[in-house]
């Protein structure tokens, strides 16, 4: 029995180490949205230590805006209501510094060995900077297109001897 306990503890440490290598936030919750585990990236994003989240829910960790708490719990319920489907969504969340961040989240039901839903796994990626860069590129392209289309001069772009654009 002592050997089995040591193996279980080693297995849990290995699982935590694997999860901590992930660049994205990861948490595991039970059916009541209580945290069972989380990785280092998730804990850092929330300003806590991974072990501080175990046994708590999102409202107990720090002072989240009420709308964010409700939205997080709604996503959990949506995931658990249809356990065969992965819920994917971009959500805005406030970090401990009070900054709004855009997160792409994936939630899937977690099943035990008999196929019963025992909770969920949630993975989140901070896509704030990527979305800002995409908007900046779209704006730049829009300005370029407007400039070219409004030009009274003829503009032709050639690749080799072939025209690939003309206004």
């Amino acid at each position: 029995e002592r050997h089995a306990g040591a193996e279980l503890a080693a297995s849990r440490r290995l699982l935590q180490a694997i999860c901590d290598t992930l660049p994205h936030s990861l948490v595991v919750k039970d059916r009541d949205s209580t945290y069972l585990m989380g990785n280092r990236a998730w804990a850092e994003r929330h300003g806590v230590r991974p072990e501080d989240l175990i046994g708590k829910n999102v409202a107990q960790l720090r002072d989240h805006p009420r709308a964010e708490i409700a939205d997080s719990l709604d996503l959990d319920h949506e995931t658990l209501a249809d356990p065969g489907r992965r819920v994917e969504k971009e959500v805005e969340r406030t970090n401990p510094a009070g900054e709004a961040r855009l997160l792409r989240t994936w939630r899937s039901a977690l099943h035990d060995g008999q196929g019963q839903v025992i909770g969920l796994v949630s993975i989140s990626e901070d896509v704030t900077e990527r979305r800002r860069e995409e908007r900046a590129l779209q704006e730049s392209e829009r300005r370029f297109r407007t400039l070219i289309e409004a030009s009274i001069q003829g503009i032709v772009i050639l690749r080799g001897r072939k025209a690939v654009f003309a206004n």
Side-chain angles (χ1 to χ4, degrees):
E1 192 171 309
R2 180 181 288 167
H3 182 67
E7 284 184 12
L8 180 60
S11 179
R12 285 184 177 161
R13 284 191 305 274
L14 177 61
L15 177 60
Q16 185 69 51
I18 292 168
C19 291
D20 285 343
T21 66
L22 299 173
H24 305 310
S25 301
L26 176 139
V27 290
V28 178
K29 300 179 183 181
D30 67 13
R31 292 184 59 82
D32 296 320
S33 295
T34 301
Y35 296 110
L36 302 175
M37 75 169 291
N39 71 350
R40 184 175 294 123
W42 189 94
E44 288 172 358
R45 193 180 88 219
H46 288 273
V48 299
R49 297 177 310 165
E51 57 271 18
D52 292 340
L53 67 96
I54 297 171
K56 297 178 181 170
N57 65 39
V58 67
Q60 295 170 314
L61 289 179
R62 62 179 180 85
D63 193 21
H64 289 281
R66 284 185 194 264
E68 289 182 14
I69 293 170
D71 184 52
S72 181
L73 294 173
D74 286 347
L75 286 171
D76 290 353
H77 292 138
E78 182 180 344
T79 302
L80 295 169
D82 189 359
R85 183 173 78 89
R86 180 177 60 217
V87 176
E88 187 174 330
K89 188 175 180 184
E90 286 191 4
V91 296
E92 191 170 287
R93 295 291 185 255
T94 306
N95 68 13
E99 303 165 327
R101 306 299 294 176
L102 186 62
L103 306 175
R104 182 176 184 102
T105 67
W106 298 268
R107 281 178 167 80
S108 295
L110 182 63
H111 300 84
D112 66 12
Q114 289 75 45
Q116 298 298 309
V117 176
I118 58 172
L120 64 97
V121 176
S122 176
I123 299 173
S124 301
E125 173 188 14
D126 189 332
V127 295
T128 307
E129 298 308 318
R130 182 182 315 153
R131 294 297 180 256
R132 281 184 192 146
E133 291 167 1
E134 288 170 355
R135 284 191 300 270
L137 178 59
Q138 289 168 351
E139 178 59 23
S140 175
E141 289 172 344
R142 185 193 63 74
R143 283 192 315 266
F144 177 73
R145 188 173 28 265
T146 300
L147 177 66
I148 296 297
E149 290 172 355
S151 175
I152 59 173
Q153 295 293 318
I155 299 172
V156 177
I157 298 175
L158 300 173
R159 285 219 175 99
R161 294 179 178 254
K162 183 177 179 183
V164 294
F165 174 83
N167 68 338

